[in-house]
Amino acid sequence: MRIGTAKFSYRHDEALFDSRTQYAWLAILGLGLVAFPFAVNEYWLYLACLMAINIGSAAGLNILTGYTGLVSLGHAAFMGVGAYTVAVLQGAVDLPVLPNLLAAGAVTMVAGFIVGIPSLRVKGLYLAIATIAASMILHFVFSNWQPVTGGTAGLMVNPARILGIDLDTSFRFYWMVMPITLLMLLGAANLFRTRIGRAFIAIRDRDISAEVLGIPLLRYKLLSFGISSFYAGVAGGLWAYFFRIITPESFPLSMSIFFLTAIIVGGMGSLLGSILGAAFITMVPEALKLIVGWLPISADATLILSPVRTIVFGLLIIGFLIFEPLGLQEIWRRTQRFFHLWPFRS
């Protein structure tokens, strides 16, 4: 009994130590996020804001593809719905920022419900093709519904305004986008502690078995599409406030591939993977710009950069699927285990 009590006490103390360590790291992360804008220049603030938008959007796609197993190649189009909703509501009603973003998410969620209807009958490649078709339809609407979307000329968006302050610089915008992204991640993390999140995972692992267990597939598949689209709509609204001009070319198919690459590289079915993947893939084009700038090329670098970026994204998808299917989050966890256990290795 004494030995068992000693073991229980040891495990209890170890768990308490781990929880305190996690809280300490979260406190350090919070302080780092607060201090970051004061320590870097405008370029890095721009990248941080863009990275936060991409992380929120990638988290939404991971809910659909990573946790529910439904492949989507129309995520950028859903971001476009959110962006246009923000622009239209700002011009017509002049809603405050937060209600406008929530409205963008709600409108995009409805679009997600509609696009998700075929998911009951088709899956895999056929579902991916269906989402591409939906993306093309939405792109056609963006280009031709001129009274609402402005057609190919697009729409201008005024800077976001909170408490009478225009968030017209990356420094000011950072203080809005970072808390919203953290709330989105927190909501996704809590989602998978609920019955809904567990149903998503059951559908991903074996949808027929999930249906036998009493999980209504259509309801939860549509709900997954809706939640993923809500995240995309909010991220698209943030994108509109950040860049302040929206055109149909702002949300091409290559942008959907960008987010799919992010969750594959980061790790599907993992919020940590969404963060690591989106951050990594956001930095890849910037690294390519530096590399292309260093090369002795006489042609316009921007003409070379676009196809090279697409090739690099394709190589990253293939490379991670072959050599590290669990993505950067698994590399991070192995690194953690190595440094945690290293002093005790024989």
Side-chain angles (χ1 to χ4, degrees):
M1 288 296 294
R2 290 181 181 178
I3 294 175
T5 304
K7 287 183 178 179
F8 175 79
S9 177
Y10 171 75
R11 290 174 182 172
H12 175 74
D13 291 343
E14 186 179 20
L16 185 61
F17 175 77
D18 288 342
S19 64
R20 287 177 178 174
T21 303
Q22 291 176 358
Y23 286 131
W25 279 112
L26 287 175
I28 292 172
L29 176 62
L31 290 174
L33 291 176
V34 171
F36 179 80
F38 301 100
V40 298
N41 58 23
E42 185 70 14
Y43 172 73
W44 287 104
L45 278 171
Y46 163 82
L47 286 180
C49 294
L50 181 60
M51 197 177 295
I53 295 171
N54 290 340
I55 287 172
S57 185
L61 182 60
N62 219 341
I63 290 172
L64 179 67
T65 302
Y67 284 99
T68 318
L70 303 175
V71 181
S72 173
L73 286 173
H75 203 64
F78 291 127
M79 285 186 66
V81 173
Y84 275 104
T85 301
V86 162
V88 171
L89 289 178
Q90 188 190 65
V93 187
D94 196 20
L95 282 177
V97 173
L98 295 181
N100 212 1
L101 290 174
L102 290 175
V107 171
T108 312
M109 178 181 278
V110 173
F113 285 147
I114 297 172
V115 173
I117 291 175
S119 65
L120 183 64
R121 296 296 180 186
V122 297
K123 63 177 74 173
L125 176 63
Y126 299 103
L127 181 59
I129 293 174
T131 56
I132 291 176
S135 175
M136 295 174 65
I137 292 171
L138 289 173
H139 194 274
F140 178 83
V141 172
F142 298 158
S143 301
N144 293 277
W145 197 9
Q146 192 163 355
V148 176
T149 64
T152 56
L155 296 174
M156 297 292 294
V157 180
N158 295 325
R161 178 185 287 259
I162 295 180
L163 300 177
I165 301 174
D166 287 335
L167 308 182
D168 52 359
T169 65
S170 297
F171 179 85
R172 293 179 177 178
F173 190 79
Y174 176 91
W175 299 106
M176 179 181 78
V177 68
M178 196 58 67
I180 292 176
T181 300
L182 291 175
L183 284 175
M184 293 168 73
L185 292 173
L186 182 62
N190 288 323
L191 172 67
F192 295 101
R193 298 176 181 174
T194 66
R195 178 172 54 87
I196 295 173
R198 291 193 291 270
F200 289 168
I201 295 171
I203 292 171
R204 178 197 64 190
D205 292 341
R206 190 65 65 88
D207 57 349
I208 296 176
S209 300
E211 188 173 23
V212 170
L213 291 173
I215 297 174
L217 295 186
L218 178 59
R219 181 191 305 172
Y220 282 102
K221 285 183 177 181
L222 289 180
L223 187 58
S224 181
F225 262 100
I227 294 173
S228 174
S229 300
F230 180 86
Y231 273 63
V234 173
L238 291 171
W239 193 97
Y241 279 126
F242 187 49
F243 290 100
R244 293 170 25 204
I245 183 169
I246 310 167
T247 65
E249 287 73 26
S250 301
F251 305 98
L253 178 62
S254 59
M255 192 174 182
S256 296
I257 297 174
F258 171 93
F259 287 110
L260 184 63
T261 306
I263 65 170
I264 291 175
V265 170
M268 289 197 291
S270 166
L271 284 180
L272 177 62
S274 302
I275 298 169
L276 295 177
F280 179 79
I281 296 301
T282 301
M283 295 304 298
V284 166
E286 302 303 316
L288 290 176
K289 286 180 185 178
L290 291 176
I291 294 172
V292 171
W294 290 336
L295 295 177
I297 300 174
S298 57
D300 187 1
T302 57
L303 297 177
I304 300 172
L305 188 60
S306 180
V308 169
R309 181 174 58 185
T310 304
I311 293 171
V312 169
F313 285 167
L315 292 175
L316 284 172
I317 291 174
I318 295 171
F320 272 87
L321 287 176
I322 293 175
F323 298 107
E324 188 49 85
L326 298 179
L328 292 173
Q329 59 94 16
E330 180 60 24
I331 296 175
W332 171 255
R333 286 175 180 167
R334 283 206 302 265
T335 304
Q336 278 186 313
R337 288 195 295 267
F338 174 80
F339 284 106
H340 182 68
L341 299 174
W342 178 78
F344 307 102
R345 289 176 180 267
S346 57

